[in-house]
Amino acid sequence: MSILNEIKQQYKTGDVSQKLIFINVLVFIVSALCFSFVSNQFQYPNWLALSSNYKDVLWFPWTLFTYGFLHSEPIHLLFNLIFLYYISTMFYTFFTTRQFLTVYFLGSFFAGLIFVAYGYLFNYTNLIVGASASIMAIFMAVATFAPNYSLRLPLIGYLKIWHIAVFYIFIDVAQLLTENTGGHIAHLSGGLVGLVFAMLMKKGIDISAIFAIKKKKNSTFKKVYKNKSVKKYQSVRVSDVNFTQRQIDEILEKISKSGYESLTKEEKEFLFAANK
């Protein structure tokens, strides 16, 4: 019971990306109990996995969502979740939780649509599962927004994140004609979502704002008292907010040009505090 309580506590205190990791693991355990494991992969039905046959998708439209939580085998799950854990940490350096969820689910949804369109146009028949499209969307968002972000890889040393992005794109393009064509199409399509999101963010356009929950205005009458000291305080607060935003913009510009490691200790602490 102590292990179960520890898992519950980790789930409650974790961020959205960690919650998604827990959910994916839980779904995988349920899959192991419910579906046959043949030829080193689970045999999912077309009402859960995403089919390239558009008629199946019309009958089971929820598969555009459910396929992203299924994984074909343990290695498939493990690789995706390790990648998600590390890339989400970098994503939160620049973006918010709402933006994470927007990119994650739009990446999966758009990749699913492109996969179905490919099946229709080229008479391709297959099923796909996995969170790879969503994770590629998150990865490409970071790689596009801060291409000079430096990563230290074992046995290799420091690399710019855009170097890794180019490598992944090359691998997917080179393997488009293999038996996992659908999977590589999903990877590239999900990555495209992340790229577009980051390019729009650089122009000041946040597509995640579409999903922002607007608070209803309270229509009840409230008596307003004029207070000169309050007005003065509010003007100072607005000035403070603008100054803080300028500092954040300058730090992000520095990361984009020279990488995260170029920041001073004070700048890292300031950026971390601003993201809270």
Side-chain angles (χ1 to χ4, degrees):
M1 289 298 293
S2 60
I3 296 177
L4 183 59
N5 290 334
E6 179 67 22
I7 292 174
K8 289 181 179 179
Q9 184 64 25
Q10 288 292 331
Y11 179 83
K12 289 180 181 179
T13 58
D15 57 31
V16 168
S17 61
Q18 292 171 329
K19 285 180 170 62
L20 284 170
I21 290 174
F22 277 108
I23 292 171
N24 275 281
V25 171
L26 178 61
V27 171
F28 188 81
I29 293 173
V30 173
S31 299
L33 298 174
C34 298
F35 303 106
S36 302
F37 194 68
V38 181
S39 300
N40 295 323
Q41 61 182 4
F42 288 113
Q43 303 301 300
Y44 292 108
N46 62 350
W47 49 268
L48 279 179
L50 181 63
S51 172
S52 58
N53 187 335
Y54 76 94
K55 294 180 181 179
D56 290 336
V57 179
L58 291 177
W59 276 107
F60 314 117
W62 57 83
T63 55
L64 285 166
F65 173 79
T66 57
Y67 89 95
F69 289 93
L70 306 173
H71 289 84
S72 60
E73 57 181 329
I75 295 299
H76 186 200
L77 173 75
L78 183 63
F79 181 81
N80 273 348
L81 296 191
I82 290 175
F83 196 11
L84 175 60
Y85 177 81
Y86 284 105
I87 198 62
S88 62
T89 302
M90 288 184 277
F91 187 93
Y92 285 130
T93 302
F94 310 102
F95 306 112
T96 65
T97 296
R98 187 184 71 207
Q99 291 166 336
F100 177 89
L101 289 172
T102 299
V103 175
Y104 187 92
F105 287 111
L106 277 184
S108 180
F109 181 76
F110 179 74
L113 291 179
I114 296 299
F115 170 71
V116 175
Y118 180 86
Y120 174 77
L121 293 173
F122 297 97
N123 196 28
Y124 175 78
T125 304
N126 206 345
L127 298 173
I128 60 168
V129 294
S132 302
S134 297
I135 297 169
M136 280 299 294
I138 296 295
F139 175 68
M140 285 302 299
V142 177
T144 304
F145 191 79
N148 292 317
Y149 190 107
S150 295
L151 294 173
R152 187 178 184 278
L153 301 181
L155 305 178
I156 297 177
Y158 285 96
L159 286 177
K160 304 291 187 183
I161 195 171
W162 74 266
H163 295 154
I164 303 173
V166 169
F167 174 76
Y168 272 113
I169 292 172
F170 173 79
I171 292 297
D172 281 319
V173 171
Q175 296 184 357
L176 272 176
L177 298 181
T178 64
E179 62 180 56
N180 190 28
T181 299
H184 295 296
I185 289 174
H187 295 173
L188 293 169
S189 302
L192 180 61
V193 170
L195 183 146
V196 171
F197 167 81
M199 290 181 66
L200 290 175
M201 283 295 295
K202 285 188 172 184
K203 295 181 179 180
I205 302 172
D206 181 7
I207 61 175
S208 73
I210 300 172
F211 305 101
I213 300 175
K214 295 182 179 179
K215 295 182 179 179
K216 293 183 179 179
K217 293 183 178 179
N218 195 341
S219 59
T220 58
F221 175 77
K222 290 184 178 180
K223 192 172 182 179
V224 179
Y225 295 91
K226 293 184 178 180
N227 190 319
K228 294 182 179 180
S229 61
V230 172
K231 285 185 178 180
K232 183 178 180 181
Y233 174 73
Q234 288 177 338
S235 65
V236 172
R237 288 301 299 271
V238 172
S239 177
D240 288 345
V241 171
N242 291 335
F243 177 72
T244 300
Q245 186 58 50
R246 286 198 300 272
Q247 286 184 303
I248 293 174
D249 292 340
E250 289 174 1
I251 292 174
L252 293 180
E253 181 67 21
K254 184 176 180 181
I255 293 174
S256 178
K257 291 181 178 179
S258 307
Y260 182 75
E261 297 300 325
S262 66
L263 298 183
T264 63
K265 180 182 178 182
E266 290 75 16
E267 288 172 331
K268 291 179 181 178
E269 291 176 350
F270 176 82
L271 189 60
F272 178 78
N275 281 332
K276 285 188 175 181

